[in-house]
Amino acid sequence: MLVVYATALGLVLSAVNVYLRDVQYLVDIGVMIFFWLSPIVYAWHFVQDTLADTTLSSGVSDALLQLYLANPVTLAVIGFQETFWVAGDALPALPDLAARLGVALAVGVVLLWVAQRSFTRLQANFAQEL
């Protein structure tokens, strides 16, 4: 799933970078933001516990948690943690992770197709722009 999203994002950003050179600097900022929005250095249930402890209503808290879990990188990291991290066995598991990963993969394949079509369309003018 990560390969599909990375390829789609790479195709789009490389095509846009030919026309807008400053995109390369935004990629660095975006990678840093995605690093902290994904549970790479922390467990995902910390976000769930923090949202439950806030003064927000339960509907808003649940909506924010679902938005957090809609990030495909977050789902992939949780999948890796549950698969390979033995120390995480005592942590709460994300319900219906396989279904969420399947939906994210299907959306990623569609985005990859759109990115490939966009790259092919913009590719004709690359030589003039460079």
Side-chain angles (χ1 to χ4, degrees), residues 30-42 73:
V31 166
M32 184 175 29
I33 290 170
F34 261 109
F35 178 79
W36 289 107
L37 286 178
S38 302
I40 297 171
V41 294
Y42 57 89
V73 177

Side-chain angles (χ1 to χ4, degrees), residues 21-124:
R21 299 293 178 158
D22 292 336
V23 169
Q24 64 187 355
Y25 303 112
L26 295 175
V27 170
D28 292 335
I29 295 169
V31 166
M32 184 175 29
I33 290 170
F34 261 109
F35 178 79
W36 289 107
L37 286 178
S38 302
I40 297 171
V41 294
Y42 57 89
W44 75 272
H45 68 87
F46 289 151
V47 174
Q48 181 182 24
D49 296 342
T50 302
L51 287 173
D53 292 341
T54 61
T55 60
L56 299 172
S57 68
S58 66
V60 173
S61 176
D62 291 341
L64 287 175
L65 181 62
Q66 293 307 317
L67 181 65
Y68 172 74
L69 293 174
N71 179 358
V73 177
T74 298
L75 293 174
V77 169
I78 292 171
F80 281 129
Q81 287 174 348
E82 289 187 8
T83 303
F84 298 113
W85 190 34
V86 177
D89 287 344
L91 300 176
L94 181 64
D96 63 350
L97 177 63
R100 289 176 184 263
L101 285 169
V103 169
L105 180 62
V107 170
V109 169
V110 170
L111 288 176
L112 179 61
W113 181 78
V114 169
Q116 189 274 333
R117 299 296 297 160
S118 300
F119 184 87
T120 304
R121 182 165 296 194
L122 294 172
Q123 184 180 10

Side-chain angles (χ1 to χ4, degrees), residues 13-22 24 119 122-130:
L13 290 177
S14 63
V16 171
N17 190 43
V18 171
Y19 297 101
L20 305 170
R21 299 293 178 158
D22 292 336
Q24 64 187 355
F119 184 87
L122 294 172
Q123 184 180 10
N125 296 330
F126 284 175
Q128 289 101 8
E129 291 294 326
L130 293 175

Side-chain angles (χ1 to χ4, degrees), residues 3-18:
V3 171
V4 170
Y5 277 96
T7 305
L9 192 61
L11 284 171
V12 169
L13 290 177
S14 63
V16 171
N17 190 43
V18 171

